[in-house]
Amino acid sequence: MNDRRFSADVRPDSYQPPTSVEELLARYAIGERYFEETDLPDGSNLVGATLAGVNLRRSFMFDADFSGADLHGAIIESCNIKCGRFQNANLEGASLRHCAVESTEWDGANLEGVSFEGCGAYGYTFKEGERP
């Protein structure tokens, strides 16, 4: 398949970020993976969502709940994910480099192979191998 919207790394022609959780999930369901610069509404509910391999680079997700979500292999870099909840989420192999991660919850999350390098919380910057 050579459709640009199915690649997490290539910006699709005429790309516009989704403006709601419902739009994000609907576009993901038809195969889109590129969602850079998404500004999800505060308090977005993505509990149990399947977003494996998604690209959310440079997105804003304040108070978003990803508990139990499948985010393995996701690219969530240079994002503001303050007050985010990721309890019991699968983030295996995801990249969360250079994100703001203050007041985030990770209990029970699968963080195998996740990189938090360059993430910041309360004035501290995480080094490779460190986790919030």
Side-chain angles (χ1 to χ4, degrees), residues 7-104:
S7 173
D9 295 320
V10 179
R11 183 183 182 99
D13 296 332
S14 304
Y15 172 74
Q16 292 295 314
T19 59
S20 69
V21 169
E22 294 78 18
E23 181 184 355
L24 171 69
L25 295 175
R27 287 167 59 177
Y28 183 91
I30 62 168
E32 192 169 343
R33 298 297 180 263
Y34 184 99
F35 298 106
E36 288 194 12
E37 300 176 349
T38 295
D39 186 358
L40 290 175
D42 292 0
S44 289
N45 183 345
L46 290 136
V47 173
T50 298
L51 293 168
V54 71
N55 177 348
L56 289 165
R57 202 177 271 126
R58 293 184 306 279
S59 294
F60 190 87
M61 300 171 273
F62 181 77
D63 194 31
D65 192 347
F66 290 92
S67 297
D70 182 0
L71 294 159
H72 78 271
I75 303 166
I76 308 172
E77 298 174 346
S78 301
C79 293
N80 184 338
I81 52 176
K82 291 179 183 174
C83 302
R85 290 174 300 288
F86 294 88
Q87 293 100 332
N88 302 308
N90 180 11
L91 290 126
E92 184 173 354
S95 178
L96 282 96
R97 299 174 67 222
H98 307 288
C99 292
V101 293
E102 293 173 357
S103 298
T104 51

